[in-house]
Amino acid sequence: MISKVLLKNIGTLVSGKIEEPVLNANALWIEEGLIRRVGDLRDMEEKEAQVIIDCAGTTVSPGLIDSHCHPVLGDFTPRQNQLGFLDSELHGGVTTVISAGEVHLPGRPKDPAGTKALAILAAKSFANFRPGGLKVEGGAVILEKGLVEEDFQEMAKEGVRIVGEVGLGSVKNPEDAAPMVAWAKKHGMTVMMHTGGTSIPGSSTVTAEQVIKTDPDIVSHLNGGPTAVSMEDVEKLVTQTSLTLEFVHCGNPKVMVDAARLIVDHKALHRVIIGNDAPSGTGVVPLGVLRVICHLASLTPIKPEEAICMATGNTSRVYKLNRGVIDEGKEADLVIMDAPMGSVGNDALSAISVGDVPGVSMVLADGKIIVSVSRNTPPAVRQPTVVKP
Ligand SMILES: [Zn+2]
């Protein structure tokens, strides 16, 4: 078994930590799937490595985390009748997707026993199944009328860690939702809430006022999924709460840009996370998270390295995942990227800052190479090479 992996000649190392987005280091040492050292190659025992990845001066960042996905079971989405959509997203540099609710299950049960069973099944199934090596945090319970505190206790014990978007099930108004949200939090779950216009028949339109009264952890798609709240509501959520604020690809791009400017003014960059919100009516978008990073970094004052932290360390913090940042003891989920061929940018970050999707040339999970060249991004100018000593 390969346990010692060295990454050397890193040109730029994005940390995932928004307070210090770029690290002064050119090498990473990985052992048994975890990052063990971050620093200078001269301080590492190159001869002891079992695999050496020469990054050729390119950019390394934590694997991207998609904070908003609607899987069901397996690597198939009934929403768009598409196979392999999770593996496709992995080729967009995403190493973890977080379920926002298995809402697209055909015939989805809407009684307490059924919604609970679905969450437990999805959580346990995805704990054992990694499409292409991608980590899926599955099993996000959809709140339905009739759930009681013991249900949350049981689900937590069985591995359910997320409440999918509040508002997708029969529990809609804050009076019904707030007690359930409190039980979920008490049992260690992270709670997201659909915000904005109605997404699918049977779900609801949610205003800032309702979000504030319900008190989730995350304002799902502040920029709409796909229909956004008003800018007055955006302002309320940014300035009057400390909630985590999510931008999604399948949302309203103008509200994303306007909201991002407001967030910069209020110094709230640490509260922003990035999701895809696919599969949805907008489709399946393998490069959705990378595209939001490019939109934010090219159309707003947010820097490219900050936008990457919004799709890595910010998300792992709110979901309590041991990944998403470059630090000792963290899971070695990594993306190696560079400017795409033909870009006016000369490295990944400068390409992103002009709005070009970077070329992903390698993806690792737990220190193992799971993508050696992305089939979905344009080709990178410089490619890492693998050397086995
Ligand atoms: Zn939604």
Side-chain angles (χ1 to χ4, degrees), residues 68-328:
H68 196 131
C69 183
H70 288 291
V72 175
L73 289 170
D75 197 357
F76 165 65
T77 170
R79 183 78 166 100
Q80 296 297 344
N81 279 329
Q82 191 169 325
L83 284 166
F85 76 103
L86 291 166
D87 183 70
S88 235
E89 191 161 0
L90 171 65
H91 283 253
V94 171
T95 52
T96 295
V97 306
I98 294 171
S99 175
E102 284 75 18
V103 75
H104 301 316
L105 178 80
R108 179 171 64 84
K110 295 177 180 167
D111 60 308
T115 198
K116 192 168 73 169
L118 174 60
I120 294 171
L121 174 62
K124 292 194 178 192
S125 163
F126 281 115
N128 296 325
F129 172 58
R130 290 186 180 180
L134 175 81
K135 299 174 181 178
V136 181
E137 300 294 323
V141 62
I142 296 159
L143 298 188
E144 300 289 359
K145 285 184 181 163
L147 287 169
V148 295
E149 180 174 358
E150 287 68 34
D151 293 319
F152 290 88
Q153 190 176 11
E154 184 190 354
M155 284 188 281
K157 195 175 119 259
E158 298 297 339
V160 175
R161 303 180 58 243
I162 306 163
V163 174
E165 290 177 83
V166 177
L168 293 185
S170 58
V171 171
K172 297 182 190 304
N173 62 55
E175 293 72 34
D176 295 329
M180 290 187 188
V181 167
W183 295 329
K185 286 181 175 177
K186 182 179 159 194
H187 293 286
M189 297 181 187
T190 304
V191 182
M192 50 178 100
M193 184 162 182
H194 177 94
T195 305
T198 307
S199 58
I200 48 175
S203 67
S204 51
T205 292
V206 178
T207 64
E209 205 54 47
Q210 288 169 304
V211 173
I212 291 167
K213 280 193 189 147
T214 305
D215 195 29
D217 295 292
I218 296 156
V219 178
S220 286
H221 44 61
L222 182 64
N223 63 318
T227 312
V229 290
S230 67
M231 274 312 290
E232 289 72 40
D233 268 23
V234 167
E235 194 163 347
K236 240 186 239 176
L237 290 163
V238 172
T239 63
Q240 296 175 24
T241 78
S242 55
L243 299 172
T244 297
L245 308 166
E246 181 189 65
F247 288 132
V248 299
H249 185 261
C250 299
N252 176 321
K254 175 171 166 53
V255 172
M256 178 164 75
V257 168
D258 293 346
R261 294 212 168 99
L262 191 67
I263 287 165
V264 171
D265 290 345
H266 280 81
K267 300 187 174 22
L269 297 187
H270 61 286
R271 289 167 56 198
V272 179
I273 62 175
I274 295 175
N276 214 329
D277 201 0
S280 63
T282 310
V284 174
V285 192
L287 302 183
V289 174
L290 270 180
R291 281 171 54 81
V292 173
I293 289 170
C294 289
H295 293 162
L296 290 173
S298 60
L299 301 172
T300 82
I302 293 169
K303 297 189 183 88
E305 59 271 28
E306 292 170 338
I308 290 173
C309 295
M310 291 170 175
T312 54
N314 279 2
T315 321
S316 62
R317 186 177 357 98
V318 65
Y319 282 99
K320 304 174 199 84
L321 302 172
N322 188 37
R323 60 190 91 127
V325 294
I326 304 291
D327 210 344
E328 290 169 20

